[in-house]
Amino acid sequence: MTVIPSRVLCVCLGNICRSPTAEVILKTIAERSGLQLAVDSAGTSNYHPSVAPDRRSQHHALQHGYDLSALKARQVCDRDFIEFDLILAMDHANLSDLQNWLLRIAPQINKERSIAKLALMSEHDPVYPLQSVPDPYYGEAYDFERVIHQIESSASAWVRHWKKQI
């Protein structure tokens, strides 16, 4: 039986396109369904510390009713593996990076502490089953729209999955 998480971290490479979009969409969809989740986002790299989400991500998200403007990029840190119940990777490379990170720090983590579960954003998504959320950074408007639609689908799938646990 899956436990409904209370703290979820969404992770992509730079934390300026996909993961901040996922943070806001997942939180919004969860709240609309009556689930209260603390949702945050981070990147596996430290390419954009304290930078706002990409202006194109902000623009397309806002067109769908999601405001990313208050967010700032940050890198995943060791503490995230303890403070979050679930870490959702946007793609297979990010998931692999997170798994390797966890293996590296696992010996340092107290065995009595809970360690976050790692999963793909699309793990329960019937429309995009186990598919990576493609990075739109070098893409066109269509790519940013695709990210929003895929994340909405995957976030809804997670919420349905959690609601079945109630």
Side-chain angles (χ1 to χ4, degrees):
M1 180 175 191
T2 303
V3 175
I4 299 171
S6 61
R7 294 186 47 81
V8 179
L9 181 66
C10 301
V11 175
C12 69
L13 180 62
N15 192 217
I16 60 167
C17 293
R18 296 171 293 169
S19 57
T21 302
E23 174 185 344
V24 172
I25 290 174
L26 179 58
K27 184 172 184 167
T28 300
I29 290 174
E31 285 176 354
R32 287 178 185 160
S33 72
L35 292 178
Q36 295 300 312
L37 298 177
V39 185
D40 195 4
S41 62
T44 56
S45 75
N46 198 26
Y47 294 150
H48 311 283
S50 301
V51 172
D54 184 282
R55 62 177 174 71
R56 298 163 297 171
S57 289
Q58 289 191 56
H59 170 77
H60 289 280
L62 201 52
Q63 287 185 323
H64 292 270
Y66 304 111
D67 185 1
L68 311 181
S69 64
L71 304 180
K72 299 288 183 211
R74 72 174 184 88
Q75 185 177 24
V76 170
C77 65
D78 293 356
R79 192 135 194 83
D80 291 330
F81 293 91
I82 298 167
E83 292 183 354
F84 289 91
D85 305 310
L86 177 64
I87 300 176
L88 296 175
M90 296 300 114
D91 63 36
H92 296 276
N94 299 139
L95 182 60
S96 179
D97 289 344
L98 290 166
Q99 289 166 335
N100 290 335
W101 194 316
L102 184 56
L103 285 173
R104 182 180 53 77
I105 66 168
Q108 302 163 7
I109 298 174
N110 184 336
K111 299 290 183 194
E112 296 174 16
R113 291 185 184 173
S114 177
I115 297 176
K117 177 187 178 213
L118 305 177
L120 275 176
M121 182 73 192
S122 61
E123 183 170 311
H124 297 287
D125 192 335
V127 179
Y128 301 94
L130 298 175
Q131 291 183 32
S132 293
V133 176
D135 190 345
Y137 188 76
Y138 293 106
E140 302 297 326
Y142 167 82
D143 300 297
F144 288 88
E145 287 294 315
R146 158 80 192 263
V147 165
I148 290 167
H149 294 299
Q150 185 170 348
I151 290 173
E152 285 176 329
S153 180
S154 292
S156 295
W158 274 104
V159 168
R160 284 190 305 275
H161 175 73
W162 295 324
K163 295 282 279 187
K164 289 178 187 175
Q165 309 306 315
I166 297 175

